[in-house]
């Protein structure tokens, strides 16, 4: 493969040494994948999934057998009363926005306990002015920052004693920040505190990038409602778009009425031929998550050996599929993204360049040669052009293709460092 890909000797050495170091971690990831695959299969068995569920509806989408079965399968996996799994959700951001609009009313107070939420939610909440934000409807927002990568338990307890909080948001994955992602154990601890002090506060979890990385999901440790994207982990690379919301029936029904319309809620929503992709994507999801994790780990190991600060480190326990690499300068960040792009199955011949993007202060560079536009369960890498020039890398539908992307990206950096043309 070294010759086939025209890799430098140094790149290949880095790979061979890295591979030896991480075999044990790979074994642990295999076990988690086995467990989560069993979880998915059991949900399919219990719901008698059959070819009939690949059929579809158009128009209103009444009585869509497949859609109803998919939602039962999701409820089974997440151990929730109800689920809303829809192609009418554009992606995770839309599912999060509809959840907030469905659950919050004027004068309600929403509290984030993981600091500033994900970028696309700023205009939804009204952190950045927008005439259609929650704030414009009189919904208030406040946040408590993490301390030392954990919840500020004392501050949260005091805040809940002094305020009437309708909904608490926990965002597990880090987004474009430098904090660590939040584990299931941390979720469990903070949710039990919240329920002790303020039992009626709704706990909502943004679970993007975290599904099937661990043995449990947030709904199994007390989250009232859990939300995520189908162009990430649970779509398994096959879902062409979509989002999911799982949780208590009463809450999921409210979100459904915000997504469709009051009075119809979950009863409408044509699936337009998507059921098979949602089911097969979910079937593949634990395996694709495993491949993504292994891709992140090999990247982490090789770039750490090259002298960069990486987070998580290769052997660290993972909570999501994201790897961050602190390049420290614009040139290395761009080279790395160019290398990832050149190893992609789609658009391998284009060169990503940093551009201004709506919602971002700094220019952003993005490598995304994906079958599904914007899909980040496929090998992808992006980063805002600001200190300390961090690449956020994730995905890898197959470990082998993920690895090849990483090898090509690392090779670019090696050549630059060694001054090889
Ligand atoms: C990716 C992401 C989202 C948004 O999901 P999309 O499907 O890209 O809209 C929301 N929150 C977090 C933490 C994310 O990583």
């Amino acid at each position: 493969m070294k010759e086939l890909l025209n890799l430098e000797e140094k790149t290949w050495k880095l790979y061979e040494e890295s591979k030896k170091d991480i075999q044990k971690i790979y074994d642990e990831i295999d076990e988690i994948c086995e467990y989560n695959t069993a979880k998915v299969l059991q949900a399919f068995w219990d719901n008698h999934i059959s070819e009939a569920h690949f059929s579809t509806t158009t128009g209103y989408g009444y009585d869509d057998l497949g859609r109803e079965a998919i939602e039962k399968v999701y409820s089974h996996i997440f151990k929730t009363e109800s689920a809303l799994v829809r192609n009418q959700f554009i992606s995770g951001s839309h599912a999060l926005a509809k959840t907030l609009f469905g659950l919050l009313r004027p004068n309600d107070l929403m509290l984030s306990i993981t600091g500033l939420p994900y970028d696309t939610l700023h205009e939804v909440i009204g952190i950045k002015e927008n005439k259609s934000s929650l704030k414009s409807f009189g919904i208030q927002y406040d946040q408590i920052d993490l301390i030392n990568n954990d919840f500020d338990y004392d501050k949260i307890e005091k805040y809940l004693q002094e305020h009437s909080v309708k909904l608490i948001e926990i965002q597990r994955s880090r987004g474009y920040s430098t904090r660590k992602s939040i584990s299931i154990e941390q979720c469990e601890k903070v949710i039990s505190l919240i329920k002790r002090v303020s039992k009626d506060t709704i706990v909502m979890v943004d679970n993007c990038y975290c599904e099937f990385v661990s043995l449990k999901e947030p709904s199994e440790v007390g989250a009232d409602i859990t939300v995520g994207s189908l162009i990430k982990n649970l779509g398994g690379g096959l879902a062409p778009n979509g989002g999911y919301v799982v949780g208590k029936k009463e809450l999921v029904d409210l979100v459904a009425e915000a997504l469709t319309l009051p009075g119809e809620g979950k009863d409408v929503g044509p699936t337009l031929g998507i059921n098979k992709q949602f089911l097969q994507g979910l079937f593949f999801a634990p395996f694709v998550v495993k491949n993504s994790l292994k891709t992140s780990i090999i990247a982490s190991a090789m770039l750490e050996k090259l002298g960069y600060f990486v987070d998580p480190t290769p052997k660290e326990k993972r909570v999501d599929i994201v790897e961050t690499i602190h390049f420290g300068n614009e040139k290395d960040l761009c080279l790395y993204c160019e290398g990832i792009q050149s190893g992609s199955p789609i658009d391998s011949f284009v060169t990503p360049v940093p551009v201004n993007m709506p919602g971002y202060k700094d220019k952003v560079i993005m490598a995304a040669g994906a079958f599904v536009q914007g899909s980040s369960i496929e090998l992808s890498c992006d980063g805002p052009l600001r200190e300390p020039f961090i690449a956020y890398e994730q995905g890898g539908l197959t470990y082998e293709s993920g690895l090849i992307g990483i090898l090509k990206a690392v090779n670019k950096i090696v050549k630059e460092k060694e001054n090889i043309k």
Side-chain angles (χ1 to χ4, degrees):
M1 187 156 85
K2 175 173 165 278
E3 279 79 44
L4 188 64
L5 296 177
N6 202 9
L7 299 173
E8 296 303 318
E9 191 58 44
K10 180 164 176 200
T11 307
W12 194 251
K13 259 222 175 90
L14 271 172
Y15 165 54
E16 298 224 293
E17 282 167 20
S18 302
K19 198 165 63 167
K20 263 187 256 145
D21 290 351
I22 54 188
Q23 202 50 56
K24 201 167 151 276
I25 313 291
Y26 280 6
D27 292 344
E28 286 166 21
I29 288 171
D30 286 340
E31 276 177 33
I32 293 173
C33 175
E34 285 157 16
Y35 181 84
N36 284 320
T37 302
K39 224 196 236 184
V40 170
L41 282 174
Q42 228 159 29
F44 277 54
W45 299 334
D46 273 32
N47 289 288
H48 294 199
I49 297 303
S50 72
E51 191 164 3
H53 298 122
F54 303 158
S55 66
T56 194
T57 54
T58 54
Y60 300 120
Y62 292 138
D63 302 316
D64 190 306
L65 266 184
R67 186 189 72 215
E68 286 168 9
I70 290 166
E71 290 179 343
K72 281 192 188 140
V73 165
Y74 269 69
S75 289
H76 187 287
I77 291 169
F78 282 90
K79 301 190 174 57
T80 56
E81 291 171 4
S82 184
L84 185 66
V85 185
R86 298 295 169 108
N87 52 306
Q88 279 79 24
F89 284 129
I90 294 165
S91 70
S93 301
H94 187 207
L96 287 160
K98 284 291 142 188
T99 301
L100 293 171
F101 273 99
L103 301 181
L104 293 163
R105 296 291 177 270
N107 299 319
D108 279 349
L109 171 61
M110 163 189 178
L111 174 70
S112 160
I113 56 170
T114 38
L116 193 64
Y118 192 71
D119 300 68
T120 52
L121 292 183
H122 296 181
E123 289 183 52
V124 172
I125 294 168
I127 295 167
K128 186 175 176 219
E129 268 328 300
N130 185 300
K131 284 186 200 148
S132 304
S133 68
L134 292 162
K135 189 177 160 195
S136 78
F137 287 90
I139 293 153
Q140 298 163 57
Y141 168 78
D142 206 351
Q143 73 186 44
I144 295 175
D145 291 335
L146 295 169
I147 40 167
N148 301 323
N149 291 308
D150 203 353
F151 295 107
D152 192 339
Y153 297 95
D154 293 340
K155 201 164 171 185
I156 293 167
E157 177 156 6
K158 193 150 173 283
Y159 194 97
L160 288 174
Q161 282 160 349
E162 291 169 0
H163 300 82
S164 172
V165 177
K166 177 70 175 289
L167 178 145
I168 283 183
E169 196 214 9
I170 298 171
Q171 179 189 311
R172 296 188 64 201
S173 193
R174 71 181 76 207
Y176 276 146
S177 83
T178 51
R179 71 161 167 95
K180 290 204 174 288
S181 298
I182 302 291
S183 70
I184 278 291
E185 291 74 20
Q186 287 170 299
C187 286
E188 182 161 30
K189 186 170 165 198
V190 83
I191 293 171
S192 77
L193 164 91
I194 295 164
K195 294 294 170 189
R196 176 168 55 76
V197 186
S198 178
K199 70 173 174 33
D200 293 330
T201 297
I202 299 166
V203 178
M204 164 190 167
V205 176
D206 174 351
N207 204 30
C208 283
Y209 285 139
C210 298
E211 301 90 355
F212 291 154
V213 174
S214 314
L215 297 174
K216 279 187 182 174
E217 301 298 334
S219 43
E220 296 173 75
V221 295
D224 298 303
I225 196 143
T226 303
V227 185
S229 177
L230 296 193
I231 57 172
K232 294 181 178 171
N233 302 19
L234 291 189
L238 292 182
N241 85 316
Y244 76 89
V245 177
V246 292
K248 295 200 169 129
K249 180 175 183 307
E250 182 196 351
L251 303 178
V252 173
D253 284 346
L254 284 167
V255 178
E257 298 209 322
L259 174 65
T260 65
L261 63 157
E264 301 194 14
K266 281 184 76 173
D267 295 335
V268 291
T271 49
L272 309 174
I274 214 139
N275 288 339
K276 185 177 172 201
Q277 279 146 293
F278 276 13
L279 280 167
Q280 201 171 3
L282 182 63
F283 168 79
F284 273 114
F287 175 69
V288 173
V289 167
K290 172 177 92 166
N291 290 330
S292 297
L293 285 167
K294 288 185 174 178
T295 302
S296 285
I297 290 166
I298 193 72
S300 172
M302 290 180 73
L303 287 147
E304 186 179 60
K305 279 192 197 297
L306 261 179
Y308 297 104
F309 176 81
V310 293
D311 181 22
T313 54
K315 296 186 187 176
E316 207 171 325
K317 189 173 172 199
R318 275 159 204 266
V319 172
D320 60 20
I321 62 166
V322 182
E323 182 62 38
T324 65
I325 306 138
H326 295 229
F327 280 108
N329 67 77
E330 181 175 332
K331 193 167 187 192
D332 289 358
L333 169 61
C334 291
L335 275 174
Y336 189 77
C337 289
E338 284 170 27
I340 295 283
Q341 183 79 36
S342 74
S344 304
I346 310 300
D347 291 337
S348 58
F349 50 89
V350 306
T351 307
V353 287
V355 288
N356 289 311
M357 303 245 306
Y360 296 94
K361 276 206 307 287
D362 308 278
K363 286 188 173 176
V364 181
I365 184 162
M366 292 199 165
F371 289 94
V372 170
Q373 188 189 101
S375 166
S376 43
I377 189 63
E378 303 183 46
L379 182 62
S380 51
C381 185
D382 40 65
L385 286 214
R386 61 168 179 251
E387 292 285 349
F389 297 97
I390 302 173
Y392 295 81
E393 182 238 284
Q394 59 275 314
L397 289 182
T398 68
Y399 171 58
E400 292 73 13
S401 65
L403 166 68
I404 289 167
I406 302 300
L407 286 171
K408 291 195 72 153
V410 168
N411 201 54
K412 277 219 176 235
I413 298 201
V414 165
K415 277 171 89 165
E416 160 75 14
K417 285 200 175 240
E418 316 253 293
N419 240 328
I420 301 165
K421 286 279 166 283

